[in-house]
Amino acid sequence: MCTIGPYYFWPAGNIIGLVLSILLLLVTCNFALASYSKTSKTINSHILNYSGTNIKETAAKTRELISKQVEIFSNLLPLPSVQSLTNLDKVLKQPRLLTNKPVHVISILLAMVACIAMFSAQLWDIAISGCDEERTCPFDQDPDDTFARPVLYGIVGYCVSDRKIIILVSTPIAFLLCTTLLLLMRGTTVLKMVLSGLISLGIGIFFFLYSLDTVQYIILLGTKLSNLSFILKLVSMMPIPLLAALFVALAYSNIIQSMEEKKDDKSSKVKIGLLSISIILSIVYFFLSLASMTTSNLVIMSTVQGHWNTTKEHTWDDECRDNNQVHYDDYGYRYDTKTSSAPESKPDKCYGKALDWLVQDNFTFFSICQLMMTESFLLLSAFVCMNGRSITKKTLFLPGLLLFAAATSSIISFFSGIVQYDLQTNGFPFFIMNSINTLSALVIGFIFVITGGSVFISFIIIVFRIILSILVFSLILITTTFAALLKLATLTCKTPKPCNVVEQPDVATA
């Protein structure tokens, strides 16, 4: 490919541009060489009133300015000292007492059971799924009309059938990592708790991202499924939000407890009573959130099923077209002509209806908001049960913020998206459970955000200090460059050639 046109033809504009570019390059080189030869004279010119002594004084002042800027940068963004790094090994090997260790173990065992259930259900579903009566479907394919869309632009998977390989690979890995987490709980130290937190955080982030895909798969399930296949698909996809919340709660608990050393404080009866009530409410909301998510997904799925009955629309197939032929005249007007008077029968596929994209987007947005709220509730409930007495107002800020944001987005998505549709609620349980869950999330999240507001203020201060540090660092680079130029000018003045310009006497004018 030629940048100035084909080899056999160069337009006049390209030739003129090439010539002007070469001339500009030559003029730039000429000015650069001329300016280099006149550098010393320009620095010591009478107009700037600078001599070699002034250059040295300016260089000294510049070094002082750089030292002050470095001091300001170190105060804005303090870095760990060398002594703290030498004691890092001792700090990491310090023993830590994990609060509510049985709850951590139960959470990991629950995650392992969920992984086994998902893996088994997915294998069973692959074994019984058949594209027709004679053969089973390939591994990368589902039976016709199983989902409303064969392809979704998800975060983890592209095709809907990709869920098979993702589940069959991720669940055994998560199971093995759960055994690692159990082993790290023996003789807990700061290093082991940090490793447990990082492993749990990685698994939790993966399942959280994949839950955004699976909630779309669930609401797009079709009606042409056997009861066993339908149940197996739900079992293989429903526990993913639970796994995401459990692993993120484990990571948050391990990281928080590794940063603070446990103190032996005597709790009053009032505090113990409030803590017991909080744990009971956490367990109640844990199961209420799971029930609300399950009900919401099933209701949304049954409502969406009323808007489609086939994955692929066959309107434009030859056997599904009408006998009318469409023509356009010279002026763009359309007119139809019939080829035969007798209507022809059409196959059943011609009467299929594909899912509209607007309907899918509205229900997907609401389902994702409900999923986020459920995972936030599960995270908060698991975190309260895992930490117990070590909970502080600051540690509740992040779960409260996530809960408040998810509840607000759920309300917005309901009234702006799906309120216009006839929901197949089968009564009021859907509205009652979702209303209780959403309002509770809104109130609890707002209270935790207010009580832990100091964390947000500290975060804003840190961000402001980082921005100021970047500005100061930029000034340091500019000042250092200027100091280097002054150093170069000082070295130029030390050459045998005289560099001081003789000042001309001022002539008095009448």
Side-chain angles (χ1 to χ4, degrees), residues 120-186:
S120 304
Q122 187 59 65
L123 278 181
W124 195 352
D125 184 40
I126 293 173
I128 66 171
S129 62
C131 291
D132 50 39
E133 296 180 355
E134 298 179 356
R135 65 184 182 92
T136 59
C137 285
F139 190 78
D140 58 344
Q141 185 179 350
D142 288 307
D144 294 336
D145 301 333
T146 302
F147 296 93
R149 305 281 183 200
V151 176
L152 287 176
Y153 299 99
I155 299 177
V156 179
Y158 176 70
C159 296
V160 179
S161 58
D162 292 342
R163 75 187 189 281
K164 302 176 183 178
I165 187 66
I166 293 174
I167 293 174
L168 293 179
V169 172
S170 62
T171 49
I173 294 175
F175 185 86
L176 294 177
L177 291 176
C178 286
T179 57
T180 305
L181 293 176
L182 290 175
L183 294 175
L184 288 174
M185 288 187 179
R186 299 179 58 184

Side-chain angles (χ1 to χ4, degrees), residues 19 21 37 60 64 98 126 130 133 173 180 188 199 202 242 280 287 295 299 301 310 352 366-367 399 416 432 475:
V19 172
S21 300
S37 61
E64 293 179 1
L98 190 62
I126 293 173
E133 296 180 355
I173 294 175
T180 305
T188 54
I199 293 173
L242 174 62
I280 293 173
F287 291 102
T295 305
V299 168
M301 180 186 63
T310 181
F366 176 76
S367 299
S416 63
I432 293 175
L475 291 176

